């Protein structure tokens, strides 16, 4: 059974940093791209970014709203994906979901974690 | 950036009715369109990939169609458990984008 479990969320002050983790199980982690999607309270879904599998270079892509502040990385030996969030803003407050990307270029998100809430507030 | 516009934003439907949700892309995206269901206080779940391919385990009453710029998610014979918000999502180009969502309420 595919499982994705996020951790690391919490309350953080504006301008500070936070790192989220996504621990995967039930599939060969290294074969898949991993994406992050967020949802502000009462709002819709927003794509944050993804990291390709090593077979596709392990490169990353980001939404304009987080580029230069957020970094996605992966540790295939531990089956963990990370989202490093720096210079956090109040508008980054959201539930952050880790997703598995399937298809030729992380086309669709076939499995999602339960989400972890990040609240950016002073 | 490709903008996805869903209609309607909200729909109140009686059980066994047919539901149709549309998603229009601001430019042609081929069949790179996927549908998700999010029930209250739950994570989204994939329903349809590549416009019309059902994801494993999804009930057969859910179907998708369309290509280019116009896409449709159809729920045949709505059940009470289908109360949720439905999102379309495109993977034709970066950045990946989602529609604003369509909330389906059961009367």
């Amino acid at each position: 059974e595919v499982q994705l479990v996020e951790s690391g969320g919490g309350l953080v002050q504006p301008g500070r940093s936070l790192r989220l983790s996504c621990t995967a199980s039930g599939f060969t982690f290294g074969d898949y791209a991993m994406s992050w999607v967020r949802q502000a309270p009462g709002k819709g879904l927003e794509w944050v970014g993804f990291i390709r599998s090593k077979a596709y270079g392990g490169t990353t892509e980001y939404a304009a709203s987080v580029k230069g502040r957020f970094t996605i990385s992966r540790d295939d030996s531990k089956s963990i994906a990370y989202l490093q969030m720096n210079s956090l803003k109040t508008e980054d407050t959201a539930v952050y979901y880790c997703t598995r990307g399937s298809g030729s270029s992380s086309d669709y998100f076939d499995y999602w974690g339960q989400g972890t809430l990040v609240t950016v507030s002073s | 950036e490709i903008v996805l516009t869903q209609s309607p934003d909200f729909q109140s439907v009686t059980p066994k009715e047919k539901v149709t949700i549309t998603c229009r892309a601001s430019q042609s995206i081929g069949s790179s369109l996927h549908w998700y269901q999010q029930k209250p206080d739950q994570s989204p779940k994939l329903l349809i990939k590549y416009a019309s391919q059902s994801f494993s385990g999804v009930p057969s009453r859910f179907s998708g169609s369309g290509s280019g710029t116009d896409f449709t998610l159809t729920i045949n014979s709505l059940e009470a458990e289908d109360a949720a918000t439905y999102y379309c999502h495109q993977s034709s180009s970066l950045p990946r984008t989602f529609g604003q969502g369509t909330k389906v309420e059961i009367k």
Side-chain angles (χ1 to χ4, degrees):
Chain A
E1 179 193 6
V2 173
Q3 283 197 318
L4 300 171
V5 179
E6 301 93 338
S7 59
L11 175 63
V12 61
Q13 293 179 328
R16 303 298 289 267
S17 300
L18 201 63
R19 188 178 80 162
L20 306 183
S21 299
C22 170
T23 303
S25 60
F27 64 100
T28 303
F29 181 77
D31 288 349
Y32 289 86
M34 297 300 295
S35 296
W36 290 89
V37 175
R38 69 184 180 182
Q39 187 169 37
K43 302 297 184 183
L45 303 173
E46 179 187 15
W47 174 74
V48 172
F50 72 83
I51 184 166
R52 296 178 176 86
S53 66
K54 290 291 194 292
Y56 288 89
T59 52
T60 53
E61 305 288 351
Y62 299 97
S65 58
V66 306
K67 196 168 186 178
R69 300 188 298 123
F70 289 13
T71 302
I72 299 173
S73 59
R74 62 190 300 154
D75 185 337
D76 290 352
S77 68
K78 296 181 179 178
S79 297
I80 299 178
Y82 300 100
L83 178 63
Q84 176 68 43
M85 304 184 292
N86 298 332
S87 303
L88 281 161
K89 305 176 182 180
T90 55
E91 53 263 41
D92 294 320
T93 294
V95 173
Y96 284 73
Y97 295 102
C98 168
T99 75
R100 189 179 83 167
S102 287
S104 61
S105 187
S106 188
D107 290 348
Y108 57 90
F109 311 131
D110 54 0
Y111 292 95
W112 298 60
Q114 85 287 354
T116 188
L117 176 62
V118 172
T119 303
V120 184
S121 174
S122 54
Chain B
E1 173 175 319
I2 294 175
V3 177
L4 298 178
T5 304
Q6 293 181 229
S7 61
D9 290 331
F10 176 83
Q11 198 165 8
S12 185
V13 189
T14 56
K16 298 188 180 180
E17 245 187 281
K18 179 179 176 179
V19 173
T20 300
I21 299 169
T22 65
C23 177
R24 175 161 289 176
S26 58
Q27 63 190 76
S28 180
I29 58 173
S31 295
S32 300
L33 192 285
H34 320 287
W35 291 97
Y36 302 85
Q37 175 195 65
Q38 185 178 32
K39 295 182 180 180
D41 298 318
Q42 293 188 18
S43 306
K45 289 182 168 65
L46 177 67
L47 294 175
I48 304 288
K49 56 181 180 174
Y50 300 120
S52 61
Q53 298 177 21
S54 293
F55 184 58
S56 175
V58 173
S60 59
R61 62 183 180 274
F62 292 93
S63 64
S65 63
S67 66
T69 60
D70 293 305
F71 301 86
T72 300
L73 174 70
T74 301
I75 311 173
N76 281 301
S77 192
L78 187 81
E79 298 191 6
E81 66 182 31
D82 300 333
T85 300
Y86 294 84
Y87 294 93
C88 57
H89 153 237
Q90 67 81 23
S91 61
S92 175
S93 66
L94 293 167
R96 304 290 193 243
T97 50
F98 289 90
Q100 81 277 15
T102 295
K103 185 173 184 178
V104 174
E105 174 194 86
I106 310 298
K107 282 182 183 174

